[in-house]
């Protein structure tokens, strides 16, 4: 009996989708809560418009079981995945720290420390932010599914491949531009920052900004040119997280005793990696999609600072039997 | 002869044009226009005074806007150029209530925590040629009654209990601009180095319109 991976690993992908959806829902809820707080602070329920009264009532019903003093206590959770505060504990994206250091050319320690938790977690789990938290990932993966549907319908969807190192160049160029102009360049070209901001603008400030156009362009890029093209080739945040998690401890590996060379893992991988040939590399964000799709339980987690070398063909596959000179049982 | 008549016609036409333009020129030159240094895009309280340093430090996370109770903090969009997604307060739409939540929530050093009375957003300036009590067309006192800092920021004049006078304690929150009932907003926020009494451009009247 060959060793089977821990049975819950197969369900991690569902947990990941639940995480992504709940974070997206929170991003939509926070601006509504802010509008509700504004109504509360103004003490002007009777002056509200009918739809504003409706929003007020819904938010009151949602928050009443949890808070006694909504005007103050709802301040506990604010922000987006770019930078947020949770009960006074601030967490920022490491890319925000890099961009701010490049822009202002000085170190501000309180801000650096807000990126400590994401930094440590990325050093352990690799770029898990891309697969598990990033609000853009939810939309990008749905966009990938839309592309698959369109392909099934017979439309020609581009799937070009470029050099994966392009995003490190974007990271470097963005830092240099931030140094020269002294402005937050990454905040405008980094999809999670753009999405968090645009949702807030659209709900609380009455309209999308220019970032919405940028995000639609990235969706079109993914759909028409390259699958998950922005994340694979252009995203500066993914590049930074990949660099931080280069020697991550939690990795996915293929168990060749169970593998039958079906290549479903390679085709499902959103980042164009090649689990079938043990090519995970630093871009693997432990999203566990390959574990979930593997029909023979040949994918598992293991703890090591580097990937295993190519292990050869899977032992359940035809190529292994041919190489070893084993007679095909069906023949 | 023909040339001479043409020249005289030219001089005549020029004189006519100049005399026709004279009222316009004179009214432009002598109009009591106030200086146009009013700030409509204030930075939130606690912001770095050097605006370039502020733009370099701001990461555009929008936390200050999300926590602002009166929702007065807006964000530069495409109009802002390099300041895109940085916060501003337009006191003509909504003034800051100096609750100081934005500087507490800001993760970077763009907004630093300072006491309420040491906030530097500017100073209010009053146009005494338009403000209702100053021109004796009514009693008002809206700016004085809304001011969160009380008598140290704006108070009534000693001899006329409805004429507002801005004091040096004003931090430029802009609440008075928001509530001013005058359609032309004779109160506004300027940089702190300026005089809190609006000066006019008419030559000879150094300082305020005499009262």
């Amino acid at each position: 009996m060959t060793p089977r991976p821990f049975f819950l690993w197969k369900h991690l992908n569902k947990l990941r989708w639940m995480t992504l959806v709940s974070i997206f829902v929170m991003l939509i809820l926070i601006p509504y809560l802010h509008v509700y707080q504004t109504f509360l602070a103004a003490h002007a329920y009777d002056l509200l418009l009918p739809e504003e009264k409706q929003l007020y009532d819904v938010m009151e019903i949602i928050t009443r079981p949890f808070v006694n003093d909504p005007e103050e206590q709802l301040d506990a959770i604010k922000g987006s995945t770019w930078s947020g505060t949770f009960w006074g504990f601030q967490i920022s994206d490491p890319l925000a720290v890099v961009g701010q250091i490049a822009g202002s050319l000085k170190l501000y320690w309180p801000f650096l420390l807000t990126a400590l938790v994401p930094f440590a977690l990325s050093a352990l789990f690799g770029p898990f932010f891309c697969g598990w938290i990033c609000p853009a990932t939810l939309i990008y993966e749905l966009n990938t599914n839309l592309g698959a549907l369109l392909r099934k319908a017979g439309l020609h969807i581009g799937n070009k491949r470029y050099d994966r190192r392009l995003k490190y160049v974007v990271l470097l160029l963005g830092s240099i531009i931030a140094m020269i102009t002294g402005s937050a360049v990454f905040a405008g070209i980094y999809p999670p920052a753009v999405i968090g901001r645009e949702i807030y603008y659209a709900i609380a400030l009455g309209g999308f900004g220019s970032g919405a156009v940028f995000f639609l362009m990235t969706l079109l890029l993914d759909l028409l040119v390259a699958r998950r093209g922005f994340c694979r080739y252009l995203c500066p945040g993914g590049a930074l997280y990949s660099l931080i998690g280069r020697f991550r401890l939690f990795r996915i590996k293929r168990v060749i005793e169970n593998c039958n060379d079906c290549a479903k893992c390679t085709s499902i991988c959103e980042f164009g990696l090649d689990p079938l040939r043990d090519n995970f590399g630093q871009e693997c964000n432990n999203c566990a999609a390959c574990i979930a799709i593997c029909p023979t339980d040949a994918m598992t987690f293991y703890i090591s600072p580097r990937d295993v070398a190519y292990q050869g063909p899977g032992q359940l596959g035809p190529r292994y039997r041919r190489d070893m000179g084993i007679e095909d049982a069906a023949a | 002869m023909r040339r001479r008549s043409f020249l005289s016609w030219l001089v005549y036409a020029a004189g006519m044009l100049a005399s026709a333009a004279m009222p316009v020129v004179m009214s432009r030159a002598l109009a009591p226009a106030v200086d146009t240094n009013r700030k409509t895009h204030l930075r939130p309280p606690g912001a770095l005074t050097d605006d370039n340093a502020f733009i370099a430090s701001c990461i555009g996370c929008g936390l200050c806007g999300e926590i602002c109770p009166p929702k007065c903090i807006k964000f530069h969009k495409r109009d802002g150029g390099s300041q895109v997604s940085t916060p501003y307060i337009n006191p003509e739409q909504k003034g800051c209530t100096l609750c100081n939540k934005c500087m507490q929530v800001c993760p970077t050093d763009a907004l630093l925590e300072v006491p309420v009375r040491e906030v530097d957003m500017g100073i209010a300036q009053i146009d005494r040629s338009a403000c209702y009590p100053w021109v004796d067309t009514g009693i008002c006192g809206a700016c004085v009654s809304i001011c969160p800092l009380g008598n140290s920021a704006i108070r009534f004049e000693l001899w006329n209990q409805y004429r507002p006078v801005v004091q040096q304690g004003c931090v430029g929150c802009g609440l008075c601009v928001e509530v001013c009932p005058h359609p032309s907003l004779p109160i506004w926020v300027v940089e702190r180095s300026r005089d809190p009494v609006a000066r006019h451009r008419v030559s000879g009247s150094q300082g305020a319109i005499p009262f």
Side-chain angles (χ1 to χ4, degrees):
Chain A
M1 187 62 196
T2 52
R4 295 274 154 190
F6 183 50
F7 73 104
L8 277 184
W9 292 161
K10 268 195 107 63
H11 303 285
L12 267 184
N13 204 29
K14 291 166 200 159
L15 181 67
R16 183 176 71 96
W17 272 91
M18 279 163 55
T19 320
L20 286 177
V21 170
S22 53
I23 284 174
F24 204 85
V25 168
M26 271 313 287
L27 278 188
I28 295 174
L29 204 59
I30 287 172
Y32 277 122
L33 288 174
H34 171 53
V35 176
Y36 170 57
Q37 275 179 292
T38 306
F39 294 159
L40 276 172
H43 298 293
Y45 183 77
D46 296 333
L47 302 176
L48 298 181
L49 300 172
E51 61 265 26
E52 290 173 342
K53 274 183 184 165
Q54 205 176 359
L55 170 69
Y56 187 103
D57 295 339
V58 170
M59 286 297 148
E60 194 175 20
I61 290 167
I62 291 177
T63 55
R64 189 182 285 156
F66 304 107
V67 293
N68 300 320
D69 179 16
E71 193 181 335
E72 284 299 321
Q73 291 177 346
L74 288 183
D75 282 346
I77 300 181
K78 288 284 175 197
S80 62
T81 56
W82 181 236
S83 183
T85 168
F86 305 88
W87 288 275
F89 189 74
Q90 288 182 324
I91 297 180
S92 300
D93 200 303
L95 187 68
V97 174
V98 168
Q100 203 243 9
I101 290 174
S104 62
L105 293 176
K106 62 176 186 244
L107 300 176
Y108 181 66
W109 286 102
F111 182 45
L112 255 65
L113 292 179
T114 60
L116 195 64
V117 171
F119 187 91
L121 288 178
S122 298
L124 271 182
F125 297 100
F128 76 104
F129 176 88
C130 305
W132 287 75
I133 293 174
C134 176
T137 295
L138 179 72
I139 302 177
Y140 282 149
E141 294 206 0
L142 292 175
N143 193 35
T144 307
N145 295 356
L146 173 69
L149 276 180
L150 291 180
R151 196 177 282 118
K152 220 172 257 181
L155 286 167
H156 177 72
I157 305 293
N159 194 7
K160 292 200 171 60
R161 284 180 175 256
Y162 304 99
D163 196 328
R164 221 182 288 143
R165 285 169 294 187
L166 197 57
K167 55 175 177 259
Y168 303 101
V169 179
V170 173
L171 177 64
L172 193 67
L173 274 181
S175 304
I176 292 172
I177 292 175
M179 264 182 218
I180 295 170
T181 61
S183 59
V185 178
F186 290 129
I189 60 165
Y190 184 46
V194 169
I195 284 196
R197 200 163 51 237
E198 292 301 321
I199 289 176
Y200 173 67
Y201 284 179
I203 292 172
L205 299 185
F208 284 110
S210 49
V213 180
F214 166 79
F215 189 69
L216 282 179
M217 298 276 278
T218 62
L219 281 180
L220 282 180
L221 173 85
D222 287 8
L223 202 58
L224 302 179
V225 181
R227 178 186 169 198
R228 284 302 286 280
F230 194 86
C231 302
R232 282 186 193 177
Y233 308 119
L234 295 176
C235 182
L240 184 65
Y241 277 117
S242 300
L243 286 178
I244 294 172
R246 186 180 169 91
F247 298 108
R248 66 184 187 275
L249 286 181
F250 287 82
R251 286 165 189 272
I252 297 177
K253 110 178 155 170
R254 188 174 59 121
V255 183
I256 54 166
E257 287 88 356
N258 296 345
C259 178
N260 64 353
D261 289 350
C262 68
K264 281 185 177 171
C265 44
T266 298
S267 63
I268 196 73
C269 183
E270 293 275 334
F271 275 73
L273 308 174
D274 196 0
L276 185 63
R277 289 174 192 80
D278 297 315
N279 279 333
F280 290 97
Q282 58 189 1
E283 275 95 2
C284 172
N285 55 29
N286 290 344
C287 74
C290 50
I291 301 181
I293 203 169
C294 183
T296 56
D297 293 343
M299 289 287 176
T300 185
F301 279 101
Y302 84 125
I303 294 179
S304 160
R306 51 186 72 243
D307 282 328
V308 289
Y310 179 52
Q311 306 177 81
Q315 293 187 2
L316 297 183
R319 197 172 144 216
Y320 178 79
R321 291 201 293 272
R322 196 179 63 233
D323 289 354
M324 300 300 285
I326 299 172
E327 288 294 320
D328 206 334
Chain B
M1 198 60 189
R2 279 173 68 193
R3 183 183 289 169
R4 177 171 295 176
S5 67
F6 175 71
L7 277 177
S8 65
W9 179 83
L10 211 61
V11 169
Y12 178 71
M16 285 296 281
L17 272 178
S19 54
M22 189 59 89
V24 179
V25 173
M26 289 305 286
S27 64
R28 282 282 172 86
L30 296 178
V34 293
D35 53 5
T36 53
N37 290 304
R38 63 171 69 187
K39 287 163 80 175
T40 53
H41 287 60
L42 307 171
R43 291 298 183 190
L48 294 178
T49 42
D50 178 8
D51 207 46
N52 285 330
F54 177 85
I55 294 168
S57 286
C58 176
I59 58 169
C61 61
L63 270 171
C64 48
E66 278 187 24
I67 207 152
C68 182
K71 245 173 35 165
C72 64
I73 298 183
K74 307 278 195 306
F75 293 90
H76 282 286
K77 295 186 179 173
R78 273 184 310 164
D79 57 320
S82 70
Q83 345 175 12
V84 65
S85 75
T86 57
Y88 71 86
I89 295 172
N90 187 350
E92 294 176 10
Q93 294 169 357
K94 215 153 196 32
C96 167
T97 56
L98 295 177
C99 69
N100 287 9
K101 281 184 179 175
C102 48
M103 57 177 91
Q104 285 158 15
V105 83
C106 181
T108 73
D109 55 344
L111 304 181
L112 292 171
E113 279 196 61
V114 291
V116 177
R117 289 178 189 275
E118 291 167 27
V119 168
D120 181 11
M121 297 162 77
I123 193 166
Q125 201 177 46
I126 294 179
D127 179 7
R128 293 183 177 179
S129 68
C131 174
Y132 288 136
W134 276 104
V135 295
D136 285 329
T137 50
I139 57 177
C140 177
C143 43
V144 179
S145 55
I146 196 76
C147 183
L149 296 183
N151 266 348
S152 66
I154 187 168
R155 63 161 69 137
F156 292 121
E157 199 206 17
L158 189 59
W159 301 112
N160 184 324
Q161 284 298 302
Y162 290 103
R163 292 180 172 172
V165 179
V166 178
Q167 309 292 314
Q168 283 301 317
C170 173
V171 297
C173 66
L175 271 180
C176 44
V177 186
E178 182 194 336
V179 298
C180 182
H182 197 288
S184 76
L185 289 183
I187 186 167
W188 57 81
V189 180
V190 292
E191 278 176 24
R192 224 182 143 63
S193 54
R194 292 179 175 272
D195 195 54
V197 177
R199 287 166 188 276
H200 291 248
R201 215 174 53 190
V202 182
S203 59
S205 72
Q206 295 292 322
I209 290 284
F211 50 86

